[in-house]
Each structure stands twice: as C-alpha cells, then as structure tokens.
Amino acid sequence: SLGFVEAKTDSSLFIYSRGTDVAFLLLYVDDIVLTASSTSFLQRIIHALRQEFSMTDMGALHHFLGVSVQRQSDSLFLSQRQYILDILDRAGMLSCKPCSTPVDTHSKLSADGAAVTDPSSYRSIAGALQYLTFTRPDIAYAVQQVCLYMHDPREPHLCAMKRILRYLQGTLDLGLH
C-alpha cells in the first residue's frame, strides 16, 4: 500500500521510487533490510512502515542472514567468513587440509558409489553451500554438481563436497572470504 513494487529478479526485494528518491526493501520472514537514496527519505519510509507494522529499527546493518556487513567510506564489504566457519564446524572439517580448487577437474561425478551414511547431513551442508554461492561465485559450479545428487548422495559426492569445504578452508587462510 506504500507503493513498493516487487523486483522481477527476487521475490524478497521490493523497490519504491518517487521522483529522484528510491528505496530498496529486502524482506526475509520477519527481518527487513531497508535502504534509501537519502536519510530523510529513509526516515519517512520507516515512519510510514511503523504506522502499518510493529517494528524495531536496529540501526545500521551489520549482519543479515549469515552475511556480515562492514561499512567503508563509500562502500560496503560483504563477508560470509563466520558462515563458512560454521559450515566447516558442522561438517567436522574446521582443521582440514586446504586445497587450491573447489572441484576435481579430472573426474566427473556420476550416480555410482556407496550410499552415504548420513544423507540428512549431506543435504544440510549442500544447502548451506548453496546459500554461500551468493557471495562466493567461485564455488557455484562445484556446489551445483554436489546438489545434483541431494536426492541420493553417494560417497563420491561426499568426497566432492569435502573438497569444496577444503577449498573454503584454504581461502579463509588466505583471507578470501
């Protein structure tokens, strides 16, 4: 009712434009990230939203859905370092030996191999890795490959997933997060 329009690229993103003023609202369940082209425009939108909804302004964005936000003079630095550490911990691979690439370029995954002992864990970590590709496109292909087998994961798929985790461990050591 305030005039926000759903973005064509993301059903969680809403855009409001009035003259030269523009605002972006990202909605996830009951969390909102809101930014606008000016502070005064942002405050007017917050006031209007408070008329419709019970909400709390948490101030400047620092963390949202596993993404850490650091403000710099004219930009934002987005990082999922802690999210990566949490995934590595969940997988029991916090102190694993790192590798230099997220995928073995010499072999292709297939549906063959012994079934993994814990398919739920496989699916959980694969899903977490999918979310990580938003800020880590370098692992997108490798993650897509292991996700192809979420319905029936096999040991070679688990090995491929562990390689991605080892790669992430190596990038943390290098400060690439």
Side-chain angles (χ1 to χ4, degrees):
S1 68
L2 296 177
F4 280 90
V5 176
E6 183 179 334
K8 292 181 174 121
T9 57
D10 186 338
S11 61
S12 298
L13 179 62
F14 298 86
I15 303 167
Y16 178 68
S17 181
R18 185 175 64 186
T20 59
D21 290 322
V22 64
F24 299 93
L25 185 146
L26 184 62
L27 177 65
Y28 183 79
V29 186
D30 62 351
D31 289 326
I32 296 173
V33 174
L34 178 63
T35 189
S37 54
S38 72
T39 304
S40 61
F41 188 52
L42 178 63
Q43 292 306 317
R44 286 196 308 267
I45 292 170
I46 290 171
H47 177 75
L49 288 171
R50 282 191 174 142
Q51 300 300 313
E52 298 289 326
F53 307 101
S54 173
M55 56 184 268
T56 304
D57 183 355
M58 304 296 286
L61 182 63
H62 298 286
H63 193 82
F64 185 72
L65 298 177
V67 178
S68 172
V69 180
Q70 296 173 352
R71 295 190 180 289
Q72 297 174 348
S73 61
D74 61 347
S75 62
L76 298 175
F77 177 72
L78 305 178
S79 170
Q80 287 186 295
R81 178 181 174 78
Q82 187 58 51
Y83 186 74
I84 293 169
L85 289 169
D86 292 344
I87 294 170
L88 289 168
D89 186 38
R90 239 174 48 206
M93 296 184 66
L94 265 175
S95 58
C96 65
K97 180 182 175 192
C99 66
S100 60
T101 62
V103 68
D104 180 358
T105 59
H106 299 295
S107 65
K108 299 279 185 203
L109 288 177
S110 69
D112 299 331
V116 298
T117 56
D118 189 356
S120 281
S121 176
Y122 180 95
R123 290 183 191 104
S124 174
I125 293 170
L129 289 172
Q130 275 185 311
Y131 180 70
L132 188 57
T133 62
F134 294 137
T135 59
R136 295 297 304 265
D138 54 325
I139 65 168
Y141 174 78
V143 170
Q144 183 264 342
Q145 291 300 300
V146 298
C147 286
L148 289 173
Y149 301 97
M150 285 175 74
H151 65 286
D152 186 25
R154 302 293 172 155
E155 285 299 321
H157 312 140
L158 182 59
C159 288
M161 181 183 294
K162 286 181 177 181
R163 182 181 182 107
I164 298 167
L165 294 170
R166 289 177 48 225
Y167 170 75
L168 289 170
Q169 178 67 36
T171 63
L172 285 176
D173 294 343
L174 297 172
L176 306 173
H177 46 83

